[in-house]
Amino acid sequence: LPSAFAGTLNVVLVAFKREQQSDVDSWTPFLKTITGRWTGVRVYELPTLARRYRLMRSFIDGGMHRGIPDSAVRAATITLYIDKSPFRDALKLANEDSIAVMLVDRNGCVHWRAGGVYGARSGDALTRAIAERAGP
């Protein structure tokens, strides 16, 4: 990642805690309209776990697989088992208290970012950021 992303522009939702899934889900209806409007935009969910959970990867991934009924969402969910501190630092995320939502190109350039649950203001800002790069 990010060169393996399928979209020219990619909306990436990074969650650090299981209870943040509802925050991620709050973006889903809005993001479906975005991907319907711009064919070059893809959405990815990145549940982010500490490297120590790698030993339980098959159990965790299996549980996530069963917990995501939509096959398209399942295919675009990439669980990261990493050292989280350098990851947060690279993305300039202060903490893990809320999800991060970013618009990223394949070169890794972050064009827009927000945090937390979906809101109309964040949705409008994301729409403008996509339109500036992908056209109306």
Side-chain angles (χ1 to χ4, degrees), residues 2 9-10 102-112 133:
L9 293 169
N10 304 277
M102 296 170 281
L103 181 64
V104 182
D105 65 25
R106 286 188 195 139
N107 295 321
C109 182
V110 177
H111 296 283
W112 174 89
R133 286 151 189 86

Side-chain angles (χ1 to χ4, degrees), residues 43-116:
V43 175
Y44 292 92
E45 291 183 24
L46 303 181
T48 306
L49 303 173
R51 185 178 299 278
R52 69 179 178 271
Y53 290 103
R54 283 182 305 171
L55 298 174
M56 300 185 313
R57 183 180 195 147
S58 61
F59 177 76
I60 293 168
D61 289 351
M64 285 189 194
H65 180 82
R66 287 186 299 280
I68 304 171
D70 186 324
S71 62
V73 172
R74 211 171 30 245
T77 299
I78 305 165
T79 305
L80 305 178
Y81 297 89
I82 59 172
D83 292 328
K84 294 195 299 181
S85 183
F87 178 73
R88 283 192 327 270
D89 291 346
L91 293 175
K92 298 179 176 109
L93 301 174
N95 56 54
E96 300 178 10
D97 295 339
S98 66
I99 67 168
V101 184
M102 296 170 281
L103 181 64
V104 182
D105 65 25
R106 286 188 195 139
N107 295 321
C109 182
V110 177
H111 296 283
W112 174 89
R113 69 176 61 231

